[in-house]
Amino acid sequence: MPGRTACLLAFLLGWSSPFTEAADAPPDTVEIVASKRTFAPETVTLRLGRPAILIIRNEDEDLHAFVPLLLFQRTNVQVRGNGAPEFNETGFARVLIPPHGKAELRFIPKTSGTFFYICDLPGHNMRAEIVVQ
Ligand SMILES: [Cu+2]
């Protein structure tokens, strides 16, 4: 039973996969503020494979949407706060955040790169980026 021996050896030596270790790590918490129809900061950075909590606060009197482009494809996202999340066949699609509301997204980034997100409400033209490295 070589597989079993290898498992036992790994256990005895305290090995674990880097991904498992990272998934157990305390989450990276990042806050984005929507104010005066602008997302700030323009760029936030998350680490690949590390649990992340993305908090989006709406400080305006307007409703805003947080619409990630590609970042959450095939990624499990837990949504908290008082926003209204929407899902489609690829998973999390967007969350509408009421005036002075907050949405909190918990997930583990699975792909590195630069991912834009927008507010797709008419005339808002709000865009910023999330870098996963
Ligand atoms: Cu908006």
Side-chain angles (χ1 to χ4, degrees):
M1 280 177 279
R4 199 172 204 173
T5 308
C7 279
L8 183 62
L9 190 63
F11 175 75
L12 292 173
L13 294 174
W15 294 342
S16 62
S17 85
F19 192 81
T20 306
E21 212 166 272
D24 292 340
D28 289 337
T29 302
V30 161
E31 191 169 282
I32 292 166
V33 174
S35 174
K36 297 179 182 135
R37 293 200 176 181
T38 303
F39 287 120
E42 274 176 40
T43 302
V44 295
T45 303
L46 297 173
R47 287 176 289 177
L48 184 66
R50 291 280 291 227
I53 302 176
L54 196 59
I55 297 166
I56 306 130
R57 269 179 209 289
N58 179 1
E59 293 187 348
D60 278 341
E61 304 296 333
D62 292 327
L63 177 71
H64 287 302
F66 170 82
V67 188
L69 306 177
L70 302 174
L71 177 64
F72 295 117
Q73 278 197 338
R74 292 175 299 277
T75 299
N76 182 29
V77 184
Q78 281 179 48
V79 186
R80 299 183 189 180
N82 61 352
E86 294 173 10
F87 295 85
N88 62 25
E89 62 284 350
T90 65
F92 175 79
R94 71 172 185 170
V95 58
L96 289 166
I97 309 167
H100 305 286
K102 177 179 103 162
E104 192 179 300
L105 309 177
R106 289 169 182 253
F107 63 103
I108 299 177
K110 289 189 172 159
T111 312
S112 57
T114 298
F115 301 92
F116 292 101
Y117 64 88
I118 61 171
C119 170
D120 64 354
L121 296 180
H124 283 207
N125 292 321
M126 298 162 66
R127 186 175 108 144
E129 67 186 23
I130 296 168
V131 175
V132 177
Q133 61 188 20

